[in-house]
Structures are given as structure tokens and as C-alpha cells.
Amino acid sequence: MSEHLLKRYLPLNSLVGRFVFASLILLPLFISLSGTLLINTFEHSQKKAEQEKLQAQLYALLSVSEVENQQLMLPKALTEPRFNQQNSGLYGFVYGAGGEELWRSQSASLLMSSLNDSSIDFSVGNQLFTQTKLDNSIILNRFNYDIEWINEDESIIPLRFIIANDNAPIIAELASYKKRLWQWLGAMGLLLIITQMLIMRWGLQPLKRLSKQLNELQENKIKRLDKDYPKEIQPVTENFNTILAHEKQQRERYRNTMSDLAHSLKTPLAVIQSQIDDEKNTTQNIHDQLDRINQIISHQLKRAVIRVNQNSITHHTNKISVSAMVNRLIKILDKVYADKKISFNNTVDESISFFGDEADLLETMGNLLDNASKYGKGAVTITGDIQKDKLSICISDNGSGIPETLQSTLLTRGARGDTAQAGQGIGLSVAVDIISSYGGGLEVKNNVGKPHLEGACFCIVLPHINS
């Protein structure tokens, strides 16, 4: 039953519950140890103070002692009034070396017991503080002091002075101290638990705020977690925001894949259509385009779930001739734009190679050459160059060019420079996505001062490794 109540009212699966449970165990233990230590210290200081008081009384008694004719003489009335009052609690005795009583104070006149302990050997200069329990259960604190008294005739008389004091007031004071101490420690412990709970409540506020923000994220009220969290929680929130961004990018990638797939299939389908419309079409050409469609579908679905590592280009083993790839695409585009009779000029040296996925190069170059064929006025030139560690491939046309105001926005998904032509504005964004995955970039500019090619120029710039 107690375990059930503990789990119900103090659940250990919560941080507050664990802190409070640990406090309920450790705090009483700490208070008990602290209280015991303070009591022992107080009791030790009491004994030390009592010993010093008895020692002072003994020295005062010794100062008024005299020996005449081998007999000890002390005044009837001593300076300390408690010595003169019967059963006052302060008692004085003087014994000889053989244990015989030589003197006792008036306060001890009614005591029937002897305070001299015969088991303690006489030793000059010996000082001993002990406790003695009388027959009536009274406990006395006793201080012994052994001396040798030298007379004028140089005779020696051994004497043992004993001062005793009732321990009852000390016991009462200790009991009162214990009571007050435990009351204060209990109150302090309760206050400490309350304070600790308030501190924990304040300290756990960031976690409550984090929980609230997670709910808001689930309800799409916010897009990411705040940054102003304590440094202990910041790594969690930063990693969570990174996961959110990655997950968002992945969702966006899935959405774009279908658009990219449809766009990529456009050219092969156009070739098939032209082959079907052409009476001289061959079955082999149609099969080639169907194979191309199948490759595009596989490639786009692969890109939907796999991101190319930008560093992987330096370790890629696929070596693809850029010039051969361009010639392959020119043959396809000649059929697609047969009515425009486009003049393609491939000046890329056969020694220039691309290290990467053949489908990526085919997709990128196909989109750029398709745009040049579509928006140009019958002439397209492809150039290639390698400078240091950069591979540059440029596709130029003789169209109207691209206004400078559109050059920076043209590469975004859905953006189009000419709405008169059919299209979805996806091809360039697909090319940018592929090129950026290799750590490269796509530059957009206009050719100025070049005869027959004063149109748009798209340059692919990629990291290059020496073959």
C-alpha cells in the first residue's frame, strides 16, 4: 500500500519526484548527522568548561589552606558561598595520602559517601577530571589534585584536594539544548525542502517551455525551437532544430521529385512522339527512348532519398566524356526540334571528363541544352575548359538573352524568363540541385560581343580532379 501511494503521489519517473524523494532520504540523514555532531560538540564544551570551573575553585581553596603542627587548617567560611551552604551542589574535600579525610566543606556535611577513590594512586601533580555516582543516584563531576605540602621544618605532608559539583544542571541544560536544536533543525529542514522545490520549479521552467514549444511545433504554430535556452539544454534544441530542418528538406525533396520526374520525362516522350509521327521512325529509336525513360524514373527516385556527398566527387571512379555526352544529347534534340533546324556546335575537347554519376550529367546537360534549343534562334554552342581544379562547361545560344533583373531569380524552382514558351520552370532548378550536390555552381550571364551568339550563356562550374 505504501509503495502504491509513493508511486501515486511521488512519481519517480518525473524529475521533481526524484529530487523530492532523494531529499526526503538524504536531508533527514544530513540533519541527524549534523544534530549529533553539534550535540557532541556542545557536550564536550560543557565538560571542558566544567573542568575549568572546578579547577578554578580548587586553586581558590588551595590559596586559603594552611598547615600548622602537621595539621591542615582552612577557614570556616570560604569566599565561595556555595561551600558554606549545605547540599548546595558544590563540595570540597581534602584527603591524606592514606585516604583518611582531613577536611570537608560545610556543603558536604550531610553527604554519607566518600569521594576519594582509593583505586587512584597518589601522584604529585596529578590532575584528574571524572564523574562519580552517589548512592542516591546523584552524579557529581569531580576534579582531583595531588600535592605535597612542605612545612617550615621542611617536613612533607601529602594532600589530595577534591572539588565536586552536581551534574544535574548540566544535564538539564544539555536536554534543553537538544530540544531547541532538533526543533530548529526540523524547521530548517522543512524550509530547505520548500526552498528546494521552489528552486527546482524555477530551474525546470526551461523544460516546461521546451515541452510547450514542442506542442506548438506539432500544431504548426511555430517552425523551430528558440535559441535562448540554458547551455545544458542548447545542444538538445540545436540538434532538434537540425533534425527539423533536415526533415523539412527531405519532405521538400519528396515533393520536388515528382515534379522533377515529370519534367525529365518530357524530352524522351517528345522524341518518341516525333518518331511515331515520322514515317521513317525505327523501332530501335523508340526502344532507346523507353530505356531512357526507365533510367530517368530510377534516377529521380534514387535522388529522392539519397543526397550526394559534396566530398564524394574526389573519390568518384566514374569517368564520363563530356564531349560524347553532348553529342548524344544533340542527336536527341535534333529530332525534338527538327522543325527549327538548330545548328549545334560542340567544341568540348574529348579529353575533358566528368567524374560522377552519368545520369546526373545527362540530366543537367539535357535541361540546359533543351532550354538553349527552345529559347535560342537556331544556334547553340557548347564549350568546355579546365583551369586548375575547376571544370567549366558553357552552353550559349543566339536568343534574346536574359534580363539582369531575372538572372538571380531564374534558377529558383518555378521561375521562368519567357512565359510565352511552354514549360513549368523546373528544369534549371533541377540542374542547380544536381550541380550543388557536387559542390559546384551554375552561372547565368549574357554573351556580349560574340557574333551569332549574343544570347544567354549558362556555365556549369564543378570541382575537377586530375585523371
Side-chain angles (χ1 to χ4, degrees):
M1 181 65 179
S2 58
E3 183 178 357
H4 174 72
L5 291 176
L6 182 63
K7 290 182 179 180
R8 180 178 179 182
Y9 295 105
L10 193 61
L12 297 183
N13 61 344
S14 71
L15 294 178
V16 175
R18 292 182 180 185
F19 286 145
V20 174
F21 181 73
S23 299
L24 292 177
I25 293 178
L26 297 178
L27 192 58
L29 179 62
F30 176 77
I31 290 177
S32 299
L33 292 176
S34 300
T36 303
L37 178 62
L38 291 173
I39 289 173
N40 290 338
T41 303
F42 181 76
E43 191 173 3
H44 176 75
S45 65
Q46 275 189 317
K47 290 181 179 180
K48 186 68 175 178
E50 180 70 5
Q51 180 180 350
E52 291 175 353
K53 286 193 296 184
L54 294 179
Q55 188 176 19
Q57 293 290 353
L58 187 142
Y59 289 155
L61 184 62
L62 187 61
S63 65
V64 295
S65 300
E66 294 289 343
V67 175
E68 294 181 2
N69 300 324
Q70 302 295 321
Q71 290 186 354
L72 179 65
M73 304 294 293
L74 283 135
K76 292 182 178 181
L78 298 175
T79 306
E80 173 58 52
R82 295 175 63 196
F83 280 127
N84 305 321
Q85 181 181 355
Q86 291 184 353
N87 292 332
S88 63
L90 180 63
Y91 311 106
F93 297 87
V94 181
Y95 294 91
E100 68 279 9
E101 184 179 301
L102 302 180
W103 176 87
R104 70 166 57 192
S105 64
Q106 295 183 18
S107 59
S109 60
L110 299 180
L111 290 180
M112 303 301 295
S113 303
S114 174
L115 298 187
N116 187 30
D117 190 351
S118 59
S119 62
I120 302 175
D121 296 332
F122 183 88
S123 177
V124 178
N126 181 38
Q127 300 184 37
L128 182 63
F129 177 77
T130 58
Q131 286 187 340
T132 299
K133 187 174 182 180
L134 302 181
D135 295 338
N136 54 1
S137 299
I138 297 177
I139 298 177
L140 298 179
N141 296 317
R142 185 182 65 187
F143 185 78
N144 293 14
Y145 186 38
D146 297 339
I147 66 169
E148 287 184 343
W149 191 283
I150 302 176
N151 291 320
E152 292 181 357
D153 58 359
E154 296 186 356
S155 59
I156 298 176
I157 301 176
L159 300 174
R160 171 171 288 177
F161 284 78
I162 298 178
I163 302 296
N165 191 25
D166 191 356
N167 195 44
I170 298 177
I171 295 175
E173 184 180 2
L174 179 61
S176 176
Y177 174 79
K178 288 181 179 179
K179 182 179 179 181
R180 293 194 306 270
L181 177 64
W182 291 123
Q183 288 175 346
W184 278 105
L185 287 178
M188 289 177 61
L190 181 60
L191 180 62
L192 185 59
I193 290 178
I194 296 174
T195 304
Q196 187 180 22
M197 292 184 67
L198 294 176
I199 293 175
M200 285 189 295
R201 183 177 180 182
W202 171 72
L204 295 176
Q205 283 297 323
L207 292 180
K208 292 182 178 179
R209 183 160 61 91
L210 177 60
S211 176
K212 181 180 178 182
Q213 285 203 325
L214 290 176
N215 290 332
E216 292 176 348
L217 275 173
Q218 188 175 2
E219 297 172 358
N220 293 323
K221 294 181 179 178
I222 58 175
K223 299 300 181 181
R224 56 184 288 117
L225 299 177
D226 293 339
K227 295 182 179 179
D228 57 337
Y229 278 97
K231 62 180 181 180
E232 293 81 3
I233 304 179
Q234 277 185 356
V236 177
T237 57
E238 290 175 358
N239 290 337
F240 191 84
N241 282 333
T242 302
I243 293 174
L244 282 177
H246 177 73
E247 194 270 341
K248 181 179 179 181
Q249 291 175 357
Q250 192 68 12
R251 288 201 310 269
E252 187 69 21
R253 196 174 187 86
Y254 280 124
R255 285 196 297 266
N256 294 339
T257 296
M258 298 309 296
S259 298
D260 296 346
L261 183 59
H263 183 273
S264 300
L265 293 176
K266 198 171 53 170
T267 300
L269 288 175
V271 173
I272 293 175
Q273 183 64 44
S274 66
Q275 291 291 320
I276 293 175
D277 295 339
D278 187 358
E279 294 180 355
K280 298 180 180 180
N281 74 83
T282 61
T283 304
Q284 183 61 42
N285 285 337
I286 295 177
H287 281 298
D288 290 343
Q289 295 308 309
L290 289 176
D291 290 339
R292 172 65 182 142
I293 291 174
N294 185 54
Q295 292 176 5
I296 290 173
I297 293 174
S298 299
H299 178 63
Q300 290 292 356
L301 292 177
K302 181 181 177 181
R303 285 182 61 238
V305 294
I306 300 177
R307 296 185 64 186
V308 179
N309 187 345
Q310 294 181 3
N311 296 325
S312 65
I313 189 171
T314 59
H315 306 288
H316 217 298
T317 58
N318 291 341
K319 182 179 179 181
I320 302 165
S321 172
V322 177
S323 179
M325 178 67 70
V326 171
N327 290 333
R328 178 180 171 186
L329 290 170
I330 289 175
K331 290 180 181 180
I332 297 174
L333 293 172
D334 276 338
K335 296 181 176 64
V336 176
Y337 296 99
D339 56 334
K340 294 185 69 172
K341 297 180 181 181
I342 300 174
S343 173
F344 291 97
N345 182 20
N346 181 13
T347 65
V348 180
D349 191 275
E350 293 183 357
S351 63
I352 295 177
S353 299
F354 166 76
F355 291 87
D357 194 330
E358 181 181 5
D360 287 338
L361 181 61
L362 188 63
E363 180 78 12
T364 303
M365 295 297 297
N367 282 327
L368 295 178
L369 285 172
D370 181 61
N371 283 343
S373 302
K374 182 186 300 183
Y375 298 108
K377 296 179 180 179
V380 176
T381 296
I382 303 96
T383 60
D385 185 26
I386 296 177
Q387 293 183 356
K388 296 183 179 179
D389 57 348
K390 297 293 184 181
L391 168 62
S392 177
I393 305 172
C394 296
I395 295 95
S396 304
D397 61 60
N398 62 343
S400 301
I402 301 173
E404 293 184 1
T405 55
L406 292 178
Q407 290 179 7
S408 60
T409 60
L410 191 63
L411 301 181
T412 59
R413 178 174 292 269
R416 299 181 59 201
D418 183 5
T419 57
Q421 296 283 352
Q424 292 77 34
I426 296 176
L428 289 179
S429 67
V430 173
V432 170
D433 189 20
I434 295 174
I435 294 170
S436 62
S437 68
Y438 285 89
L442 180 61
E443 298 178 357
V444 182
K445 58 184 178 180
N446 290 324
N447 287 320
V448 179
K450 292 185 178 181
H452 310 296
L453 288 176
E454 292 188 351
C457 178
F458 291 83
C459 289
I460 302 171
V461 181
L462 293 170
H464 185 264
I465 59 176
N466 295 323
S467 58

